[in-house]
Amino acid sequence: MTDSPSRVAVVTGAGRGIGAAVAARLAEDGFAVGLLDLDEAGVKQGAEAIVAKGGKAVGVALNVSDAEQVDAAVTRVADELGPPVVLVNNAGITRDNLIFKMTEQEWDSVLDVHLKGSFLMTRAVQKYMTQEKYGRIVNLSSTSALGNRGQVNYSAAKAGMQGFTKTLAIELGKFNVTANAIAPGFIATDMTAATAERLGMSFEDFKAAAASQIPVQRVGTPDDIAHLTSYLVSEGAGFVSGQVVYVAGGPKD
């Protein structure tokens, strides 16, 4: 790390998994990082690890679907680290069920975290980006956007993230702000481990079964997503906007 001023990135869902890996990678790239998550212990631990390596970071607990909490968290990051010009909307949950059994609460909670949360976070951060005439937004979609049994809520949310991304690219492009989406396939995280448990399978068997259907013959890791995020928020990605990149070990439509 250098003593030169760092650009500031905000990562939601940064308490574990993909979000934690992305936050750590952006810190390695020289960003000061605001780690946001409902899991206060997770983001504080992540921020402490970044600071211990010589970086700048702050961990803030919030519910991304609560407008007041979002505004307060973004203001705190701006006050402590500087104006945020990179936003990674990664916070997400699953509440899987078949359509005939899915409750309104299961539908609402998933749409609230993914779509409303991303809307609130982007609305709060874009004012700093437009003032700075520079910004990078990365939204986490999923291959489930193409349809996945038992995930009508999650699929709808992740498909919505793609339309959200493309519209942000159109609206914010004139301010030198790009917006892109990453759509992961099978990534080995606590969330996919929980799915294996729900299905009554060991996580190793679950990963092996998934890998057998993936052209590169392995499942993804959070670092796979962090690598692409690092590029999309870089100076060199300034002419890449409104795109959805599938990171799934093979082609997706």
Side-chain angles (χ1 to χ4, degrees):
M1 297 293 178
T2 67
D3 292 329
S4 60
S6 302
R7 279 187 167 143
V8 179
V10 175
V11 182
T12 69
R16 62 178 182 170
I18 290 173
V22 167
R25 175 57 187 268
L26 296 187
E28 291 175 7
D29 291 344
F31 287 94
V33 185
L35 294 82
L36 277 55
D37 200 299
L38 198 61
D39 176 9
E40 184 173 15
V43 290
K44 287 192 172 181
Q45 183 177 9
E48 289 169 359
I50 290 170
V51 172
K53 292 182 178 180
K56 297 178 181 178
V58 60
V60 184
L62 87 166
N63 176 348
V64 293
S65 65
D66 184 296
E68 289 187 3
Q69 292 185 39
V70 165
D71 290 342
V74 171
T75 297
R76 180 178 168 190
V77 171
D79 288 345
E80 295 192 21
L81 301 178
V85 293
V86 167
L87 171 63
V88 181
N89 283 311
N90 168 73
I93 61 171
T94 55
R95 297 290 185 268
D96 297 350
N97 226 332
L98 295 173
I99 182 65
F100 75 96
K101 293 193 291 185
M102 184 168 288
T103 66
E104 287 185 54
Q105 184 177 7
E106 288 170 336
W107 174 270
D108 289 344
S109 60
V110 170
L111 273 290
D112 277 355
V113 172
H114 291 272
L115 286 179
K116 185 179 180 183
S118 295
F119 157 67
L120 292 174
M121 284 298 308
T122 305
R123 187 178 66 178
V125 174
Q126 60 82 35
K127 64 180 180 181
Y128 297 98
M129 296 179 176
T130 55
Q131 288 169 2
E132 297 292 319
K133 297 293 190 292
Y134 182 90
R136 299 283 188 265
I137 299 168
V138 176
N139 297 318
L140 268 292
S141 179
S142 168
T143 55
S144 291
L146 303 172
N148 196 32
R149 179 179 172 84
Q151 288 195 317
V152 68
N153 49 3
Y154 189 76
S155 296
K158 290 307 193 181
M161 291 293 279
Q162 297 188 14
F164 177 66
T165 298
K166 291 176 181 294
T167 301
L168 291 178
I170 293 168
E171 291 189 9
L172 298 176
K174 66 181 179 181
F175 299 104
N176 192 27
V177 177
T178 65
N180 292 285
I182 297 174
F186 190 110
I187 306 295
T189 64
D190 289 346
M191 187 178 288
T192 46
T195 300
E197 184 177 359
R198 180 173 55 81
L199 295 174
M201 296 178 66
S202 76
F203 193 30
E204 291 305 313
D205 287 345
F206 191 50
K207 288 189 290 184
S212 70
Q213 303 300 312
I214 298 171
V216 301
Q217 295 291 287
R218 71 169 177 89
V219 299
T221 69
D223 283 341
D224 288 316
I225 308 306
H227 290 314
L228 179 56
T229 304
S230 175
Y231 168 67
L232 290 175
V233 305
S234 71
E235 290 275 1
F239 203 54
V240 180
S241 195
Q243 303 306 302
V244 179
V245 184
Y246 284 88
V247 184
K252 295 290 179 181
D253 294 331

